Amino acid sequence: MCGIVGYIGNQEAYPILVKGLHRLEYRGYDSAGVALLTNNRLNVYKAKGKVADLENAAQDKDITGTMGIAHTRWATHGEPSVRNAHPHISETGNLVIVHNGIIENFAVIKEQLSKDGYHFQSDTDTEVLVQLIQFAVDKHHLDLLQAVGHALRKCIGAYAIAVMDKNNPDEMVVARKGSPLVIGVGKDNEEFFVASDATPIVEYTRNVVYLDDEQVALVKRNEPIKLYNLDKTEADFDIKTVDIDIDMLSKGGFPHFMLKEIFDQPECLKDCMRGRIVKDENGKNDDLKIKLESLEMNAARLLKARRIIIVACGTSWHAGLIGKQLIEEFCRVPVEVDYASEFRYRNPVIYSDDVVIAVSQSGETADTLAAIKLAKENGAMIYGIVNAVGSSIARETDAGLYIHVGPEIGVASTKAFTGQVLCFEMLAMALGKANGNLEQDRYEEMIKELNIIPEKISKILESNDAIQNLAKRFTYAQNFLYLGRGWNYPVALEGALKLKEISYIHAEGYPAAEMKHGPIALVDQEMPCLFVATHHQGYEKIISNMQEVKARGGNIIAVATEGDEEIKIIADEIIYIPQTINWLVPLLSVIPLQLLAYHIAVEKGLNVDQPRNLAKSVTVE
Ligand code: F6R
């Protein structure tokens, strides 16, 4: 996710900004930039790639100035490139902005501003915002603070921004809604630091002000911060003290990226839904609907699909298995799920009215890329569910949904999985509604529940300490069985994959009913069996499968639904998750399995973020 750093004070800004960008590298990004204000001159330097590339780009250039803003960008609108990198400058060249978040109505605003004679150099929503602020200055003769407020009141979406005006080298305006922003307060208000989180700030000051949503701050040297609500009323604020261990800075305060990414999931899923679950203009007052531009623009082709084929690898393939169940359930269209590596080498039957869905976090997996190229040659439509914007797979697709969960750095995929499942949920619901197979009641019930899924994930994350304690008891295991039925069968596969890749314990995922066709021979006191046994599809049957394991002396861990007392009779260990509806359960039931794998690996002293032999992006065949 993007990172913002800003400085205004009496020191040279550039070294502080660049160091701050390095501190934010853990968030992941694909370009970086900096703007410095010195003697009414604005110098902007940008680079595609890493902060080190930016430092090279700025070498031998004028990097003086005691005020500046800087940014690491993780592409959402437009490919990673120098042109799309922040900071962005307004038409007059006076205003400069860095932004984290998404302005959802940027296209409408851009069209209007273009008619008013404003020109755009990039594909970003951010440039639209700085032009809108410039418009407020030009048209309404507002000062910077007022112009920022005026522009933000017209924006729908999320933002954290820092803005400077070339003609006013004594102040900076910052604001937030939905995306985090912190201001570090220097001694006697002599200097201020702005950042997406406290990590770039704590080595200078531990006194910080956290902005609330829809607040705008005026930051001036040697003066206290002035804070306003977006409705122009003045806001009170407290200066808080941050307490961050300097060693944990690069991981946002977590000991590992994997744990951070597990904990990021409630926010990530909100980002994934943002702008996609919207007010239904034709419905009743509080009606919501799923709005997917990629579906609206390609409705004819998607709706007449004879068959859908999902291709993916690893964790993304597990998400595909859930996608199959969702699409078949809501749309009644047959779906096949293939390992991309098998599909591409098998001479598969592909019809021109097939839709092939590629699922990938990195967007660079060689087998998945080759599979969609093959499908494309055979005339199928290619749809992508991809995290990395502008990646090779994203570019190869005809249409698709970005997962929008931010960069995933831990090698073991966690938030990308839940993001992929969520994309399938929204796609299947929107398609099912459009082809008339998903009833209105069910559609409404699902949307309502989707909106509270992030809260329910947060609730599960409160069990982290309990799961850590549980993990300590299973570090001895050489083998593990993960069992589930229906919606929870792919979750069992995913739980087993998580465990084996980071703890090096051999783990098998199975449909629970298959156990008696072979794997049950492995069951003894040494073999923990984890059942994903929530109150859904096949619950009674899975209880019978648990009895079969119990009868053979097996050790049972159950992931169960809150309030399920019956399961206590059979299971040795229970992790409860909140109740939800059938089709959404994988979004919850996978969370304890991610935590369990993480804690077992940590207890074993292993390198969780970079397990042996594995790569984050598998660009080999
Ligand atoms: C497991 C994991 C891998 C990836 C697989 C596909 O935790 O991360 O199994 O899911 O290599 O990668 P993407 O999704 O980038 O295509």
Side-chain angles (χ1 to χ4, degrees), residues 313-316 359-363 365 368 411-413 420 497-498 501 616 618:
C313 305
T315 287
S316 300
V359 191
S360 177
Q361 188 288 126
S362 62
T365 302
T368 310
V411 164
S413 188
Q420 288 160 349
L497 179 64
K498 286 294 84 91
E501 63 185 334
K616 187 68 192 156
V618 186

Side-chain angles (χ1 to χ4, degrees), residues 212-364:
D212 283 336
D213 274 349
E214 307 209 325
Q215 286 190 332
V216 188
L218 179 64
V219 186
K220 287 182 158 194
R221 284 183 194 89
N222 304 316
E223 284 188 26
I225 296 168
K226 287 214 174 79
L227 193 60
Y228 301 90
N229 299 309
L230 208 49
D231 64 7
K232 302 185 193 169
T233 53
E234 202 160 340
D236 294 331
F237 60 88
D238 293 326
I239 297 186
K240 302 220 160 67
T241 310
V242 272
D243 187 16
I244 297 183
D245 176 350
I246 226 99
D247 291 343
M248 290 182 171
L249 285 183
S250 63
K251 286 153 196 152
F254 285 89
H256 298 101
F257 285 113
M258 183 179 174
L259 189 63
K260 175 185 179 292
E261 285 158 7
I262 293 173
F263 272 80
D264 276 350
Q265 288 176 106
E267 284 310 308
C268 291
L269 296 195
K270 282 186 207 161
D271 286 343
C272 178
M273 287 188 274
R274 184 166 286 127
R276 291 166 172 172
I277 298 189
V278 296
K279 199 163 169 292
D280 184 355
E281 302 300 340
N282 302 321
K284 289 178 263 139
N285 284 344
D286 51 355
D287 278 356
L288 295 172
K289 66 170 185 177
I290 309 266
K291 182 176 163 54
L292 304 179
E293 259 173 44
S294 57
L295 173 55
E296 285 169 10
M297 289 166 66
N298 299 280
R301 194 126 187 236
L302 281 167
L303 288 170
K304 70 171 204 327
R306 170 206 288 231
R307 178 179 64 155
I308 291 176
I309 304 170
I310 298 172
V311 290
C313 305
T315 287
S316 300
W317 183 78
H318 297 154
L321 292 178
I322 297 167
K324 168 187 166 75
Q325 297 192 49
L326 289 165
I327 295 171
E328 291 190 341
E329 175 79 26
F330 298 149
C331 315
R332 310 308 299 155
V333 177
V335 182
E336 291 170 18
V337 189
D338 238 314
Y339 282 117
S341 53
E342 290 296 316
F343 179 84
R344 62 176 289 201
Y345 289 117
R346 199 189 52 233
N347 189 18
V349 178
I350 305 168
Y351 302 110
S352 58
D353 50 4
D354 280 340
V355 171
V356 173
I357 302 183
V359 191
S360 177
Q361 188 288 126
S362 62
E364 300 297 344

